[in-house]
Amino acid sequence: MRVLRYLILAGLVATAGTAVAAPVTYKLDPGHTMVLFSWNHFGFSNPTANLGQVDGTLVYDEKDPSKATVEATLPLSGLDSFVPKLDEHLKSADFLDAAKYPNVTFKSTKVTPAGKGKLKVVGDLTVHGVTKPVTLDVTLNKVGPHPMMKVQTVGFDATTTLKRSDFGVGAYVPNVSDEIKVRITTEAHDASAEKK
């Protein structure tokens, strides 16, 4: 009987030790983050641009993903359509008006599990000085030690679709599509490792 009690107690202690995993604060890695957005151009092509140079943090709890939060700032100075003249036009007052509104920002407000390795992340997206709620369909790619950096790392992909006119960026609609498809891929590293 004493042995049985000992085994039960040991099991409870072990379970308690593994069940409480503290949330980890991660720093988004701009070198491994792409925020790609694409649109239709007069029905002929579907150009794509990248918003690079992300600065942001992610708090992620493996045991309870619903407690996750993310905040990100994307400077329009990092916009790259791979066509310099198009970059200039997209940053002009015709579209994003980067001189007046230099950053795109996102701040999550709710995270809901949506199946194994899937999340719905609702948040406030600010573009062109206008803030609107958006929902990201998120896939957890991997979480664990990075084999080269030797720090805890997490990777996600996400997609959403926006209407640019909702943000006051409606030039040339409908010839240049109002609908913008967004695809995100990112890696983030344990922020505490940077302080060591």
Side-chain angles (χ1 to χ4, degrees):
M1 192 68 169
R2 195 176 290 173
V3 172
L4 181 60
R5 255 187 264 167
Y6 173 77
L7 288 173
I8 292 170
L9 182 60
L12 288 172
V13 170
T15 303
T18 56
V20 183
V24 177
T25 299
Y26 297 89
K27 180 80 173 167
L28 299 181
D29 179 354
H32 292 91
T33 297
M34 298 183 83
V35 179
L36 299 166
F37 62 98
S38 62
W39 62 95
N40 184 268
H41 186 255
F42 288 84
F44 294 112
S45 63
N46 295 284
T48 299
N50 178 43
L51 279 172
Q53 302 176 10
V54 65
D55 180 33
T57 57
L58 163 70
V59 178
Y60 185 69
D61 184 342
E62 284 186 73
K63 299 294 181 185
D64 189 357
S66 67
K67 292 181 179 176
T69 61
V70 62
E71 289 189 47
T73 298
L74 298 151
L76 290 175
S77 58
L79 186 152
D80 184 5
S81 68
F82 317 105
V83 181
K85 284 189 177 180
L86 180 55
D87 293 350
E88 289 176 20
H89 195 196
L90 291 173
K91 292 176 190 177
S92 75
D94 277 356
F95 290 103
L96 295 168
D97 199 356
K100 190 172 181 181
Y101 308 105
N103 296 312
V104 171
T105 63
F106 178 81
K107 183 176 183 178
S108 65
T109 56
K110 183 179 181 182
V111 176
T112 307
K116 187 176 180 181
K118 304 285 186 183
L119 302 167
K120 294 275 188 187
V121 178
V122 179
D124 293 327
L125 177 67
T126 301
V127 179
H128 197 248
V130 177
T131 301
K132 296 279 183 180
V134 300
T135 300
L136 301 176
D137 293 309
V138 177
T139 299
L140 171 64
N141 295 328
K142 186 176 181 179
V143 59
H146 192 287
M148 295 177 69
M149 299 177 67
K150 310 300 183 193
V151 297
Q152 186 74 355
T153 299
V154 65
F156 291 94
D157 278 9
T159 59
T160 194
T161 301
L162 313 170
K163 282 193 173 181
R164 61 189 176 92
S165 59
D166 289 346
F167 296 89
V169 186
Y172 308 113
V173 170
N175 293 316
V176 177
S177 66
D178 194 11
E179 184 178 273
I180 302 292
K181 294 179 180 178
V182 181
R183 186 169 65 84
I184 302 163
T185 190
T186 187
E187 291 180 22
H189 310 293
D190 185 346
S192 66
E194 295 183 5
K195 299 171 185 175
K196 293 177 182 175

